[in-house]
Amino acid sequence: MGNLMSRIAAAGLLLAAAPLILVLALGVRISMGSPVLFRQRRAGLNGSSFVMLKLRSMRDSRADDGSLLPDELRVTAIGMFLRRSRLDELPGLWNIVRGELAFVGPRPLLPETIEQLGARGVERGIVRPGLTGWSQVNGNTLLSLDRKIELDLWYVENRNIWLDLQILMRTFAVMIFGERETRPALKPKGTSDRT
């Protein structure tokens, strides 16, 4: 799907999802207070950066020394639901409308993480990052960073409309049934399954 068509589709979905987003935002506000949205600068297409939007899923609870407590101690019940169902990603539709995200692509990482990846980070950034991606439907939080990068680079080399549709369908399955690690065979582009 072209960038313009993606932006138009995202605008329509954002309007349709607005009542649900408002209900979820109210739940976040009641359980965690303000702000309702989590904003974080992420690396975008060709090394550009943008502010990614999500519904907040964790409190800002801190230890006596001022450092943030571990994630598992800060995530709330509604936050766990939002993460498992991927509904915390709904505000990311606005990032698609703005042309910063695609529906499908490597998930945007922190700029410093991309810098640490060196050439792999540069290669990964030649496509627009996505709201969902190949590593997200093959394990996501269950995977190491190296495995995610391996899957992302395979996607960059092999992306096509049919793969994107497969990723979108599998994303809905993850939303319903939760994450599980899979081990797809990462064949180079053009490799046949026939022996």
Side-chain angles (χ1 to χ4, degrees):
M1 186 185 298
N3 189 37
L4 178 60
M5 290 299 296
S6 292
R7 294 171 77 166
I8 293 170
L13 286 172
L14 191 59
L15 286 174
L20 175 58
I21 294 173
L22 287 173
V23 169
L24 295 173
L26 180 60
V28 171
R29 179 71 173 82
I30 291 170
S31 67
M32 286 178 268
S34 294
V36 167
L37 290 177
F38 171 78
R39 303 166 190 265
Q40 189 174 61
R41 189 156 293 281
R42 297 289 179 99
L45 180 66
N46 294 321
S48 61
S49 69
F50 68 99
V51 176
M52 188 181 72
L53 301 176
K54 296 173 73 170
L55 286 169
R56 193 156 70 103
S57 60
M58 293 189 292
R59 293 189 178 95
D60 292 327
S61 307
R62 295 179 180 270
D64 293 338
D65 64 0
S67 61
L68 285 170
L69 291 173
D71 290 2
E72 60 270 16
L73 297 179
R74 296 189 294 127
V75 68
T76 63
I78 189 170
M80 289 176 66
F81 165 74
L82 289 172
R83 286 181 168 200
R84 185 191 180 283
S85 64
R86 302 282 180 91
L87 293 174
D88 62 330
E89 302 283 358
L90 284 174
L93 290 168
W94 178 243
N95 291 119
I96 300 178
V97 172
R98 288 173 54 88
E100 299 158 335
L101 280 182
F103 280 103
V104 178
R107 283 291 290 161
L109 299 176
L110 295 169
E112 52 266 34
T113 304
I114 293 296
E115 187 176 345
Q116 290 165 8
L117 290 170
R120 293 191 301 163
V122 173
E123 183 180 353
R124 188 182 182 278
I126 64 173
V127 300
R128 199 177 308 277
L131 199 60
T132 187
W134 188 232
S135 64
Q136 279 62 53
V137 298
N138 284 294
N140 195 24
T141 60
L142 305 176
L143 305 175
S144 67
L145 177 59
D146 278 344
R147 179 59 176 165
K148 286 182 184 179
I149 300 305
E150 180 184 17
L151 291 166
D152 289 341
L153 292 178
W154 183 88
Y155 172 81
V156 168
E157 282 293 313
N158 295 274
R159 66 191 186 279
N160 59 65
I161 185 65
W162 305 114
L163 179 58
D164 284 357
L165 288 174
Q166 178 188 346
I167 291 170
L168 288 172
M169 288 187 292
R170 288 179 61 181
T171 297
F172 288 116
V174 170
M175 291 172 71
I176 296 167
F177 301 110
E179 293 176 349
R180 67 182 183 89
E181 184 176 355
T182 59
R183 304 292 296 183
L186 302 182
K187 297 173 187 160
K189 193 178 216 176
T191 301
S192 171
D193 287 329
R194 293 175 293 182
T195 56

